Amino acid sequence: MKIFIDSADLDEIRQAFAWGVCDGVTTNPSLLKKAVDKRKAAGEKLDIKEYISQLLQASQGSPVSLEVTELTAEGMIAQGKRLFEMFNHIARNVNIKIPINPALKDGDTTHFDGLKAVSVLSDEGIPVNCTLIFTPEQALLAAKAGAAYVSPFAGRVDDLLRKRAGIKFDKSDYYPADGFVHNNELLEDNGIISGIDLVRQCVEILEIYEFDTEVIAASIRNPRQAREAALVGAHIATLPFSVICDMLKHEKTHEGVELFTKDIVIEYVNMLK
Ligand code: G3P
């Protein structure tokens, strides 16, 4: 499984690449706002174009998703092309993030605009990461429209299931991949029993029909969910920096280092000087 870092924070991105574990970057408007706010709070005068250029360079030629902000097909296509023209020459690694369905509410006439934008941009050779995927059928349609990547939002599915059932939770709380029984009922959203189940179903469908589209397990909140994304065959997981850090932690690892350190023989250390 490839690991992308889900961040627009240059420090985090540089660090993750320096560790040699990062295969790409995903950003979205919220992540960009967080990174920009951090720089502004530190008193920096931000040149957003320069900042994104640095982000693309920091990613060492591996794919970086930049998201559109428009909500109509025409607007998304124009922005997608502009982003690609403006930034792809820097490291040849830009892909454009398009929401599968930009309608703000049911009944809007723009339901298919996401698909149209995916299709037009893909036909022009601009790779698309189709985002905000919450059903396997959305993933199937995005793949058919030519998306290079689809991004099912695992953590947000788990949020939805717990919220509907009136269960209190923290954002990083683990949610069982095999589902959660509450008041004798298995929580589900139209046949999806967890965020990881959504990822699994997306992978399965795209593999049955041999699409080249890669599934990016997104909205991953904790190491166990990252592990489960790998177990269900996600091609990629995009992970917040904190999750990458937490994946390294175990109390017995710390204890082992402490015990080995106590037992070091001085002759061995001297030999290595
Ligand atoms: O990659 C999508 C991601 O940034 C959303 O994550 O944790 O806000 O649901 P989250």
Side-chain angles (χ1 to χ4, degrees):
M1 182 176 74
K2 284 179 269 190
I3 291 180
F4 287 6
I5 179 165
D6 197 26
S7 174
D9 184 313
L10 254 181
D11 303 328
E12 292 181 353
I13 292 168
R14 287 189 176 129
Q15 187 62 73
F17 275 92
W19 289 332
V21 296
C22 216
D23 304 295
V25 179
T26 50
T27 69
N28 62 36
S30 306
L31 293 170
L32 194 60
K33 178 179 181 333
K34 198 171 155 199
V36 164
D37 287 350
K38 180 177 148 187
R39 297 265 157 170
K40 285 184 184 161
E44 263 182 54
K45 201 167 165 289
L46 191 89
D47 175 342
I48 189 83
K49 191 171 174 190
E50 173 56 25
Y51 186 80
I52 292 174
S53 306
Q54 285 180 28
L55 192 154
L56 294 169
Q57 280 158 1
S59 310
Q60 305 178 355
S62 62
V64 177
S65 297
L66 300 176
E67 187 153 347
V68 297
T69 58
E70 293 286 333
L71 298 178
T72 62
E74 290 63 36
M76 289 187 280
I77 292 165
Q79 261 191 354
K81 285 184 186 172
R82 183 97 182 96
L83 278 168
F84 198 75
E85 273 160 28
M86 198 180 274
F87 292 114
N88 192 51
H89 65 91
I90 294 169
R92 306 254 161 238
N93 58 346
V94 171
N95 61 75
I96 303 299
K97 232 175 170 184
I98 302 282
I100 180 68
N101 176 348
L104 290 173
K105 57 181 182 343
D106 195 26
D108 273 8
T109 52
T110 53
H111 275 78
F112 294 100
D113 281 16
L115 275 184
K116 185 173 175 190
V118 172
S119 171
V120 170
L121 293 172
S122 302
D123 281 353
E124 295 203 11
I126 298 177
V128 172
N129 174 358
C130 191
T131 189
L132 287 169
I133 298 284
F134 286 91
T135 70
E137 50 274 23
Q138 287 178 326
L140 175 63
L141 290 175
K144 286 191 77 81
Y149 308 99
V150 288
S151 293
F153 274 36
R156 293 194 192 184
V157 170
D158 300 339
D159 294 347
L160 176 74
L161 296 174
R162 283 180 286 212
K163 196 171 164 211
R164 280 185 183 159
I167 299 168
K168 286 210 167 68
F169 61 95
D170 284 329
K171 190 173 174 183
S172 61
D173 285 351
Y174 173 69
Y175 190 95
D178 293 337
F180 187 77
V181 177
H182 181 67
N183 293 340
N184 293 323
E185 257 184 58
L186 180 66
L187 303 182
E188 54 110 25
D189 177 43
N190 196 22
I192 304 296
I193 60 167
S194 69
I196 291 297
D197 184 43
L198 169 65
V199 173
R200 184 187 62 73
Q201 292 194 34
C202 291
V203 169
E204 197 174 326
I205 289 178
L206 298 194
E207 285 186 352
I208 292 171
Y209 296 102
E210 300 182 349
F211 284 99
D212 292 333
T213 310
E214 292 185 282
V215 175
I216 305 181
S219 180
I220 298 290
R221 307 282 180 69
N222 53 62
R224 192 157 166 192
Q225 209 180 22
R227 176 202 309 166
E228 288 169 348
L231 284 170
V232 299
H235 306 105
I236 301 160
T238 189
L239 307 176
F241 185 75
S242 60
V243 172
I244 299 176
C245 296
D246 287 348
M247 284 164 78
L248 288 174
K249 294 178 187 167
H250 194 279
E251 62 190 78
K252 293 298 278 183
T253 305
H254 300 313
E255 182 196 88
V257 171
E258 203 188 335
L259 290 174
F260 287 150
T261 305
K262 275 190 197 144
D263 286 342
I264 292 170
V265 287
I266 192 68
E267 292 82 357
Y268 188 80
V269 177
N270 287 340
M271 172 190 79
L272 296 172
K273 276 184 182 161

